[in-house]
Amino acid sequence: MLHRQPSSHLPLPPELQESLPSPSLSATSSTLMASKLDKHAPPLRPTGAIRAILTMLAHSPFKTLSLLLPLLAYSAILFLPPASAGSKSRITVWPLPSSSSSGDGGTPVCLSPGFRILFDEHTAGSPLPHDLKAAVKRTEAALKDHRHAYLSPTAGREFFSRSKDNSTDDLATCEHVLTTLYLALDSDALGGGKEVPSILSSAVAPAESRPELEAYRLIVPLDGPASISAQSALGLFRGLTTFEQLWYSVPISHPSGHGGSGTSYTVLSRPDSLAASQQLPLGSSGSQGTRQDQHTPSTSAETERRVYAPFAPYEVDDKPCFGWRAVLLDTSRNFFSVPSIVKASRQSLRLINLTPRLWRVTDMLDTMAMVKLNVFHWHITDSNSWPLDLAAYPQLAGRGAYGPHQKYSEDEVGMVVRYAGERGIDVVLEIDTPGHTAIVAESHPDLIACYERTPFNTYAHQPPSGQLRFADPRVAEFVSGVFTASAGLSGSRYFSTGGDELNVACMMEDEPTKELLDRNGWTLDEALDDFTRKTHATLIGLGKTPLVWQEMVLDHGPMWSLSRDTIVDIWKDSRDARAVLDRGYKIVHAPADYFYLDCGQGGWIAKEGGGNSWCDPFKSWARMYSFNPYENVDEAQKELVMGGQASLWAEQTDETNFEAVMWPRAAAVAELFWTGSSGGRFPRSSVEALPRMHDIRYRMVESGVRAVPLQPHWCALRPGKWSYCTAQVKQMPAELSS
């Protein structure tokens, strides 16, 4: 197997070319190249060129050395050994594993057409969970129909081509073929003959214990079976996700009735092309809207595909740095159907009895699992609508949903929770109280103050105004009942009660509230503390840990109702994290100045000439990736940092555009909080990560997700530190240009 050839050669200085015998020098250069590209090449021997160099050194040493330095530097590069399992990894997966090694591209491993994923003999003898077996089947099916091409101008043919132009009709055969991947659970997970805990059960474990449960070891050798080992089914699932991303596809086409030559192939077909609202897989042919260049074959061809992992052998030891890697989706301001969240096939949705009217909340969870995000923070209700249809409180959705077909039944919420859990995702529901509850007035008007009072910006952060009369004990009892009915819909240990953006004017101009404050001798903050004590006690009694927004800690004085286990979402500004940590609370980083996906969409409150969003500018993936979770955090406080979250507030987003708003940017949060620091330091380099971000973006597109492009396709095919499309480089080194 030939190693990948360097794209160009460093030319010798003209003076040296004139001074040395050209045939001998040519032979020397050829031998140098051969020794680098072929491990069986004969050893180098002194030639006339070397004798001439020695003569020049004797007569004019300084001039000769200055002329030889470029050749010596390039020769050093040539004689560097190929990358091996112990050298720098060229693994291309997202998120980047915490530790990995790989080959250099000279020994690709191909996937056998009969490839199987099996459990080793010890694991196979134990009762295995259904969701792990289902994950194995999904991975096998995905690899069987794998079409993702390596991002280069020749779409990965350079790993096999014997010719300089990497023509398809001269691909070398695969010297290394993988037939089997074995999955193995640690002996501790198999003890006692009990059924192995499911992926779902580990997904809802305490966030602090998730890194160990998600850890795995993956080995893909050049010869023999590959293996993934882990201490849990969740760890094996994470390993399968990484394994699937190692593979690429290259077409091997043969004209009908002929051998395998004489045909050229599409190189620059665009995987982000769209036609009739249909995503087209990379390299797909015969579909309307696929853009091809002049290399498209003019003859009818039957196309076969070779699935290969270019940088074998691989060794991966991996586990996440943080146990909380979240995406928040607001489904109140605009409604999202269940299939748009879950991204399941119509056949599978029929099997789980999901009604056809909801075949559009199945997108997001599969994409989250692809990049190892593990928390879906579901902001399911707000002032605009109440789509959560609770059996114990049917009037809330009956009067508060946008319509009869824009609700989530309890069964549908349960389906989303199960679907997510089987993919290693914990669904954390949020019922935001006591603010952001105006819509409750449609069914329970006596519980809400200042409903739809104007001007809205006096009585609310955004329209419509209205919030719970939280000083009223009937309100605390009502909310406790709603929490009880909602908390049981998810097996998560966590439940968010919100608590942000309380409007003081709304409450202090509300006569029933003022009367209750006077009667009890309370300030407004004391009334809030009493309300929180009662409602949080309900959740804690149900085994739930409350999650709140930062105002509950920072804006209302001492809140004795907040237990030390309470987790606080930081959202206003990243600099607010330290103040919450200083009070001893655990935090999730979700600051608008880094992680709000809706920033930069423009203002949505109507006014002449329009306006900007409150949190401008747009937050690019590189901006998100530059975040330092430990900025201004003491060493002793680091254990209080649970992780991070990308948030999508849906004032200007619904299921028609939310994939483009969310992906691939949310993947930056996934890697930031999975991989952690780079060499012990933050920030991570988005320039170094860009080639892998391109790769995962195209994988998303091929799975049917409308992830937006990061650069022109031309740039995506030429990634890397020395890319033409990288601002840090004024001029690409000649030896790296092509």
Side-chain angles (χ1 to χ4, degrees):
M1 175 66 65
L2 294 176
H3 294 291
R4 180 180 178 181
Q5 297 185 11
S7 56
S8 62
H9 302 273
L10 188 67
L12 292 173
E15 299 92 334
L16 193 57
Q17 293 179 9
E18 295 172 0
S19 304
L20 297 178
S22 56
S24 298
L25 181 60
S26 175
T28 302
S29 300
S30 299
T31 309
L32 284 169
M33 287 299 300
S35 68
K36 174 63 179 173
L37 299 178
D38 187 353
K39 62 183 179 181
H40 301 297
L44 294 175
R45 302 179 185 280
T47 65
I50 296 177
R51 288 194 294 271
I53 292 172
L54 294 174
T55 301
M56 291 175 62
L57 283 169
H59 289 86
S60 182
F62 294 106
K63 180 179 180 181
T64 304
L65 284 173
S66 67
L67 297 175
L68 283 173
L69 281 176
L71 177 62
L72 293 172
Y74 189 57
S75 298
I77 294 174
L78 289 176
F79 282 110
L80 286 174
S84 65
S87 43
K88 184 177 180 181
S89 176
R90 296 186 64 179
I91 198 166
T92 55
V93 303
W94 194 282
L96 189 69
S98 54
S99 175
S100 67
S101 62
S102 73
D104 69 342
T107 54
V109 166
C110 296
L111 206 63
S112 167
F115 171 77
R116 294 289 310 279
I117 302 176
L118 303 173
F119 294 97
D120 76 343
E121 59 179 339
H122 299 292
T123 305
S126 300
L128 297 174
H130 168 76
D131 54 11
L132 177 58
K133 295 177 182 178
V136 168
K137 290 182 180 179
R138 291 197 304 271
T139 305
E140 286 182 330
L143 290 173
K144 197 167 191 175
D145 192 36
H146 196 68
R147 290 179 173 269
H148 179 64
Y150 187 77
L151 289 176
S152 73
T154 52
R157 292 200 297 277
E158 60 268 36
F159 295 106
F160 300 99
S161 181
R162 295 190 181 95
S163 59
K164 291 183 178 179
D165 62 357
N166 295 323
S167 59
T168 305
D169 56 359
D170 193 26
L171 290 187
T173 58
C174 289
E175 292 188 4
H176 307 282
V177 177
L178 182 66
T179 61
T180 310
L181 168 65
Y182 283 106
L183 306 183
L185 284 166
D186 294 347
S187 57
D188 291 344
L190 300 174
K194 298 180 180 179
E195 182 172 349
V196 173
S198 64
I199 295 172
L200 188 154
S201 64
S202 294
V204 298
E208 296 86 347
S209 66
R210 290 175 189 171
E212 292 300 327
L213 292 171
E214 294 183 282
Y216 66 92
R217 177 171 172 78
L218 166 65
I219 299 175
V220 181
L222 295 181
D223 300 295
S227 65
I228 300 174
S229 57
Q231 65 168 281
S232 72
L234 177 58
L236 291 179
F237 175 69
R238 298 297 186 216
L240 285 170
T241 303
T242 297
F243 180 79
E244 188 175 332
Q245 286 187 31
L246 298 177
W247 302 92
Y248 296 87
S249 174
V250 62
I252 308 171
S253 298
H254 307 289
S256 298
H258 300 282
S261 60
T263 307
S264 54
Y265 302 88
T266 300
V267 175
L268 298 177
S269 61
R270 290 174 55 107
D272 51 32
S273 299
L274 293 172
S277 300
Q278 181 181 12
Q279 295 284 351
L280 300 174
L282 185 66
S284 62
S285 59
S287 298
Q288 180 183 1
T290 304
R291 297 175 58 176
Q292 297 180 335
D293 65 6
Q294 66 271 24
H295 299 297
T296 303
S298 58
T299 60
S300 174
E302 296 177 359
T303 302
E304 299 175 359
R305 290 183 174 271
R306 174 181 295 172
V307 178
Y308 67 99
F311 299 112
Y314 301 92
E315 290 188 14
V316 176
D317 281 291
D318 196 16
K319 75 174 182 178
C321 188
F322 296 90
W324 193 288
R325 307 177 304 280
V327 162
L328 177 147
L329 180 65
D330 158 29
T331 61
S332 169
R333 290 172 174 87
N334 281 300
F335 183 77
F336 294 76
S337 64
V338 171
S340 68
I341 295 175
V342 184
K343 191 65 179 176
S345 67
R346 292 193 173 188
Q347 180 180 3
S348 64
L349 292 175
R350 286 192 184 98
L351 293 175
I352 56 178
N353 297 318
L354 188 66
T355 56
R357 69 177 177 83
L358 293 176
W359 281 352
R360 276 276 325 138
V361 176
T362 54
D363 266 341
M364 187 180 70
L365 296 173
D366 280 330
T367 314
M368 287 178 64
M370 180 188 294
V371 294
K372 301 184 177 74
L373 288 161
N374 71 338
V375 176
F376 171 28
H377 182 152
W378 194 349
H379 186 89
I380 198 168
T381 65
D382 209 289
S383 285
N384 303 94
S385 75
W386 188 287
L388 179 59
D389 194 3
L390 296 170
Y393 297 89
Q395 63 274 40
L396 283 171
R399 291 180 174 266
Y402 283 129
H405 301 301
Q406 293 176 302
K407 302 177 184 178
Y408 304 111
S409 71
E410 292 185 0
D411 286 344
E412 287 165 343
V413 172
M415 188 280 294
V416 171
V417 169
R418 289 191 303 275
Y419 192 96
E422 290 170 356
R423 286 151 182 81
I425 298 168
D426 184 16
V427 178
V428 177
L429 297 175
E430 178 181 352
I431 305 292
D432 199 350
T433 61
H436 292 273
T437 49
I439 197 64
V440 174
E442 293 291 332
S443 56
H444 298 77
D446 56 326
L447 303 183
I448 298 296
C450 66
Y451 181 49
E452 293 188 342
R453 193 166 180 180
T454 58
F456 83 83
N457 51 8
T458 299
Y459 301 102
H461 180 70
Q462 59 180 237
S465 61
Q467 55 195 29
L468 289 166
R469 290 179 168 130
F470 53 84
D472 189 335
R474 295 178 304 151
V475 171
E477 183 180 358
F478 169 80
V479 171
S480 292
V482 171
F483 284 175
T484 299
S486 305
L489 300 179
S490 172
S492 177
R493 295 170 182 267
Y494 307 98
F495 189 94
S496 177
T497 65
D500 60 316
E501 296 181 330
L502 286 179
N503 186 278
V504 174
C506 173
M507 305 313 298
M508 298 311 295
E509 294 183 20
D510 180 60
E511 289 300 327
T513 296
K514 289 194 295 182
E515 181 182 336
L516 286 165
L517 293 179
D518 290 341
R519 183 189 307 167
N520 291 290
W522 283 339
T523 65
L524 194 62
D525 287 344
E526 289 170 337
L528 176 63
D529 195 27
D530 182 72
F531 167 84
T532 304
R533 176 180 59 81
K534 294 173 180 175
T535 55
H536 278 203
T538 297
L539 289 172
I540 293 170
L542 295 170
K544 304 289 184 180
T545 297
L547 182 71
V548 300
W549 296 106
Q550 67 178 69
E551 292 98 317
M552 293 296 289
V553 172
L554 299 181
D555 291 2
H556 303 291
M559 291 288 289
W560 307 111
S561 56
L562 297 179
S563 69
R564 284 302 172 190
D565 290 333
T566 302
I567 299 174
V568 181
D569 265 319
I570 306 300
W571 73 272
K572 283 189 172 182
D573 191 290
S574 56
R575 292 169 294 186
D576 295 331
R578 178 59 185 260
V580 176
L581 290 170
D582 285 345
R583 287 163 172 78
Y585 290 101
K586 299 173 183 177
I587 67 166
V588 171
H589 286 296
D593 51 328
Y594 281 90
F595 297 142
Y596 267 31
L597 295 164
D598 53 302
C599 295
Q601 291 182 316
W604 60 272
I605 299 293
K607 68 177 183 178
E608 297 297 340
N612 295 326
S613 62
W614 73 272
C615 55
D616 268 11
F618 178 86
K619 304 302 183 285
S620 69
W621 80 270
R623 167 69 174 175
M624 296 178 175
Y625 199 75
S626 70
F627 183 75
N628 180 357
Y630 295 136
E631 181 73 25
N632 197 29
V633 174
D634 288 344
E635 189 66 32
Q637 295 174 328
K638 288 183 177 181
E639 65 180 15
L640 299 176
V641 179
M642 306 297 289
Q645 171 178 292
S647 301
L648 178 48
W649 302 102
E651 289 90 347
Q652 295 173 279
T653 305
D654 64 13
E655 63 184 52
T656 65
N657 71 327
F658 93 101
E659 289 181 334
V661 176
M662 183 175 289
W663 305 113
R665 287 190 293 157
V669 174
E671 177 154 304
L672 176 65
F673 290 99
W674 176 282
T675 312
S677 64
S678 177
R681 293 178 297 177
F682 287 104
R684 300 187 59 81
S685 169
S686 62
V687 173
E688 292 181 2
L690 179 58
R692 291 183 298 103
M693 181 59 102
H694 276 306
D695 189 80
I696 196 63
R697 181 260 164 179
Y698 283 118
R699 290 181 188 269
M700 290 177 182
V701 171
E702 288 147 18
S703 71
V705 174
R706 294 174 180 266
V708 297
L710 305 172
Q711 292 180 312
H713 187 58
W714 188 91
C715 298
L717 296 176
R718 294 161 177 82
K721 182 179 179 182
W722 300 108
S723 169
Y724 288 99
C725 304
T726 301
Q728 285 87 336
V729 179
K730 294 182 178 179
Q731 183 175 359
M732 182 181 292
E735 67 270 22
L736 295 176
S737 63
S738 58

